[in-house]
Structure formats: C-alpha cells, structure tokens
Amino acid sequence: APAFADAYNNLGHLMFQRGEVVEAKIQCRKAVTHNPALAEAWWNLAEAEQRLKNTAAALEAYQTFVRLRPQDPNGYFKLGQALFGANQTQAALQAFQDGLAKDPGNLSIAGSAVGVLVACNMTDVALLLLDNVAAQYPEGAPHRLVLAYLRLFIPAVMDSDETIQFWRSHYREALHHLEALEGQLASPPGLMLSSFYLAYHDLPDGDLLRQQSKVFRQHLPLLNHVAPQVGQWTHPTQRGQKIRVGFLSEFFSGHTICKLTQGFVRQLDRSRFEVVVIHTAMSRHDHARSVIDGLADAVLEVSADYPQALQALGN
C-alpha cells in the first residue's frame, strides 16, 4: 500500500522514538505528501524538523497542524516554543495566548509563556499570567504547586542594586510560599527558570540555595533518590576496575558547555578512568556532538522520563 499515509506516519513516529530523526522526517514527509490533511503526520514531521534544527520547516509543519486542529492547545504550545526559538518573540507570545484561550489552565503553555515574558523583562505580565492560570484551580490542587515553582524566576539584567535586592527578596518569598504548600510532584515542572541568575549579583547565595534545596527535596522525592548499589559500594580499584566518570548535559553539541567539557573527556587518564558522555533526551544532534561522543569510551542518552533516567544512570 505505497500511498497509505498512516503507515508512513506510524513508521516515522517509531523511528523518531529510536533516535533515527533524519529517517523519521523522510517518512513523515511521505505521509503528508499522500495525505495533507493528516494532522498527526504534520505534528511528527514538525517534531523531527525541530530536533534537526530546521527552524523554518518546523514552523511550517506546526502551523499546518494548528490549522488542521485549531482546538488543540498542544499545537499552540509547540508552535510558540518554535517561534521563540526562531527569535519571533511577539508571535510566540501570541501563540501561547491563543493556546491559553483554548485551555486557560494549561500549565505547559503557562510555563513556556512565563519563560518568554521573563526573557523580555515583562515580569509583571508573567506574574499576572500565573495568577490568572492559578484561578482555574481550587486551593490545594497539585496544579497550584507547579505554578508556585514557575514563580521562581529572576530577570537576567538588573538596572540597580535596589532592583537586585527586590528580586532576591521576591525569590526568597516565592520559596517560602512553595514550602508552605502541601503535596509532591513526580517530576519537576517542564520549565524551571530557578536560581541561575543569582550568581550574577555578586552577593552570597548560600542561604538561598540551601533553602531552595530543602524546598525542592520536600516536593520532589526523586531528588532524594539513591541508587540501590551505593550502599554496597567499594572503590573500583579494589575490584580491579577503572573509575567510571560520567559527564551529563543537554548541551554537548554546538554550545559553550560542550567546548568547556571536551578537554576533560579527551584528556582524563584512560589507564585510571572510563569516561562516559551522557546526553539528555532533548540534546541536539550535530557535528560537535559527534566529536565529543568520539572522545568518550561510552555514550548514553537518557530518557526524558526522570525515573527511567535515574535507573539508567544508576546502572
């Protein structure tokens, strides 16, 4: 059945799951060629193009999906993310706004919209958006816990020492609010801006970071995970083995982090160490990734599912 679009789409989806992104793209392109109205194929094609960093093609595919499925908020969510990645900020915010109009309590859209608004220094709008989304849920709902995490943001650029103090106080208050909430989450919210920019303030961060660690461990039990074999751990050299060292990042690709880490991966003494490069599920596939992978003794890509990732790392 060489014109059966659903078969090409399903094959492309499975190939994407296996990491065969280029071939997945080819199969999904065949699917939309044979059936341009097959929304699922446009979605899968967009995902493949996005992973391959083919921005224009990904945007076209997401936009087509939205036209075919205008009531599906997920389409606006993915379209908004792609638009922001293409530096089309206003269009991204419009896509998120359209998505929230379809589903006012959508936490994924809210989180991404907050990320864009904070990047644009529209922090007041970000807080108002979170208030509006929170109003969709009763007190005590687990969604309120996610929204409390999304309040943990700090703008990248400050215009004065007073502004720095204001936002550090905001962060501390957001942590106290989060600590007072009941409940636990199976995994962190999809987008957490968190404490990255605290380090830019030239002020002591220890107390804030210890408080953050305490609160995160309270609501995210997986952060307290200890691999079962740790209790019986002995030094590898006592077992006649090399010390295994893993380097894990989402950015072992054309990114500063890859450049900074490459020397360690290349130069650690292989008579003493076994070096593993570990990619997250959203890591880019490009030439720089191939280079650092070639320097390692082993390469691992962990699942986007946190428990599965923890199990893989523990092994």
Side-chain angles (χ1 to χ4, degrees), residues 1-294:
F4 186 28
D6 292 80
Y8 291 119
N9 176 51
N10 291 341
L11 180 58
H13 177 64
L14 290 171
M15 287 178 164
F16 185 85
Q17 290 184 316
R18 286 163 53 96
E20 301 170 21
V21 184
V22 173
E23 188 61 31
K25 166 190 166 181
I26 292 171
Q27 299 304 323
C28 293
R29 182 65 68 181
K30 290 179 182 178
V32 299
T33 299
H34 288 292
N35 183 2
L38 185 58
E40 293 86 352
W42 284 106
W43 175 281
N44 290 329
L45 176 60
E47 294 286 276
E49 296 284 18
Q50 183 80 332
R51 181 67 67 88
L52 294 168
K53 301 302 175 183
N54 298 330
T55 304
L59 283 174
E60 179 187 7
Y62 283 130
Q63 287 165 342
T64 304
F65 177 85
V66 168
R67 285 198 298 271
L68 294 170
R69 293 276 184 84
Q71 297 305 315
D72 189 338
N74 294 313
Y76 299 99
F77 167 59
K78 298 296 279 191
L79 176 59
Q81 287 187 317
L83 286 165
F84 184 57
N87 295 319
Q88 299 183 40
T89 304
Q90 290 303 317
L93 289 173
Q94 184 61 57
F96 293 139
Q97 183 177 332
D98 292 342
L100 288 172
K102 306 294 181 184
D103 182 6
N106 191 299
L107 299 182
S108 296
I109 298 176
S112 289
V114 166
V116 175
L117 291 166
V118 172
C120 296
N121 211 31
M122 299 170 65
T123 51
D124 290 344
V125 180
L127 291 171
L128 179 61
L129 183 149
L130 290 173
D131 287 341
N132 291 338
V133 175
Q136 308 300 314
Y137 300 104
E139 292 288 343
H143 310 82
R144 290 284 189 117
L145 193 56
V146 174
L147 292 165
Y149 269 99
L150 295 178
R151 287 182 175 272
L152 291 170
F153 62 75
I154 293 176
V157 179
M158 306 288 189
D159 59 6
S160 68
D161 289 341
E162 289 76 14
T163 304
I164 288 175
Q165 292 296 343
F166 172 85
W167 280 105
R168 291 174 75 88
S169 295
H170 161 85
Y171 198 83
R172 187 177 292 105
E173 291 169 5
L175 282 174
H176 287 317
H177 172 67
L178 183 58
E179 184 177 20
L181 295 178
E182 300 291 336
Q184 294 180 329
L185 299 175
S187 61
L191 177 69
M192 289 179 62
L193 301 176
S194 195
S195 57
F196 185 84
Y197 291 116
L198 288 174
Y200 287 64
H201 299 162
D202 193 27
L203 292 169
D205 297 327
D207 289 344
L208 269 176
L209 295 178
R210 279 187 285 272
Q211 177 70 8
Q212 175 181 277
S213 175
K214 174 186 173 184
V215 174
F216 281 19
R217 288 174 178 272
Q218 171 187 333
H219 292 299
L220 292 162
L222 66 83
L223 294 179
N224 304 308
H225 172 82
V226 178
Q229 65 269 32
V230 170
Q232 291 78 42
W233 187 84
T234 57
H235 200 283
T237 56
Q238 296 178 8
R239 306 191 299 269
Q241 297 175 331
K242 297 178 183 179
I243 299 170
R244 182 182 296 160
V245 180
F247 293 90
L248 185 154
S249 177
E250 183 179 332
F251 303 112
F252 289 151
S253 55
H255 191 281
T256 306
I257 294 299
C258 187
K259 296 177 182 178
L260 294 174
T261 310
Q262 205 171 105
F264 291 106
V265 176
R266 178 188 294 109
Q267 297 186 49
L268 276 176
D269 182 357
R270 292 311 199 268
S271 68
R272 299 176 56 206
F273 298 102
E274 177 187 354
V275 180
V276 184
V277 164
I278 308 166
H279 301 278
T280 65
M282 294 305 295
S283 296
R284 287 167 46 188
H285 292 260
D286 61 12
H287 175 70
R289 172 172 174 155
S290 299
V291 170
I292 197 170
D293 285 356

